Amino acid sequence: MGSAGHAIRGSRVGAGPMGESERGGDIAPRARISYWCANGHETQPVFAVIADFLPPERWECPKCGFPAGLDPTAPPSPLRNEPYKTHLAYVKERRSDEEGAALLDEALAVLRRRRGEVA
């Protein structure tokens, strides 16, 4: 298929029927705010400035994922990354081996009673 079959070729997203650059309303004033992470990366997201505008204290660095702050000399420290824990690891944190064995014995006794076995 050739390029002649594309009716919107050459227009841009948001353009009107004739491709004019006029917009359909007023644009809110914008502010570009700098944030720095512990790796020294600077990111500058753009915010719409409205009444009582306060930029967020922290922003996630798009390069490394660390938290970034407004002060370049004192960026926030990276969050401590906990390793993945299984359900069993969480259970072992709450119960000792002896408590686990007692619970297992209790559950087995209930199952054996249901099946008519003698404990």
Side-chain angles (χ1 to χ4, degrees):
M1 175 182 225
S3 63
H6 294 83
I8 59 171
R9 183 172 185 245
S11 64
R12 62 178 177 62
V13 174
M18 299 300 289
E20 63 267 8
S21 62
E22 293 179 22
R23 296 181 189 241
D26 294 332
I27 297 175
R30 311 266 182 210
R32 185 176 298 273
I33 309 292
S34 290
Y35 290 88
W36 290 268
C37 73
N39 287 331
H41 302 136
E42 179 184 10
T43 185
Q44 296 181 324
V46 178
F47 297 96
V49 179
I50 55 174
D52 300 328
F53 169 72
L54 288 173
E57 293 283 324
R58 293 187 178 202
W59 197 259
E60 184 177 298
C61 177
K63 293 180 183 171
C64 64
F66 283 1
L70 296 168
D71 184 357
T73 61
S77 59
L79 301 174
R80 198 177 85 172
N81 202 2
E82 296 276 334
Y84 173 77
K85 289 185 186 177
T86 64
H87 177 71
L88 180 59
Y90 283 109
V91 169
K92 285 185 173 185
E93 285 180 357
R94 294 192 314 263
R95 307 212 190 283
S96 69
D97 288 342
E98 294 80 23
E99 291 172 318
L103 285 172
L104 179 60
D105 289 341
E106 182 182 324
L108 289 173
V110 169
L111 289 174
R112 287 181 182 131
R113 279 194 301 270
R114 286 184 185 164
R115 292 179 57 192
E117 297 177 13
V118 177

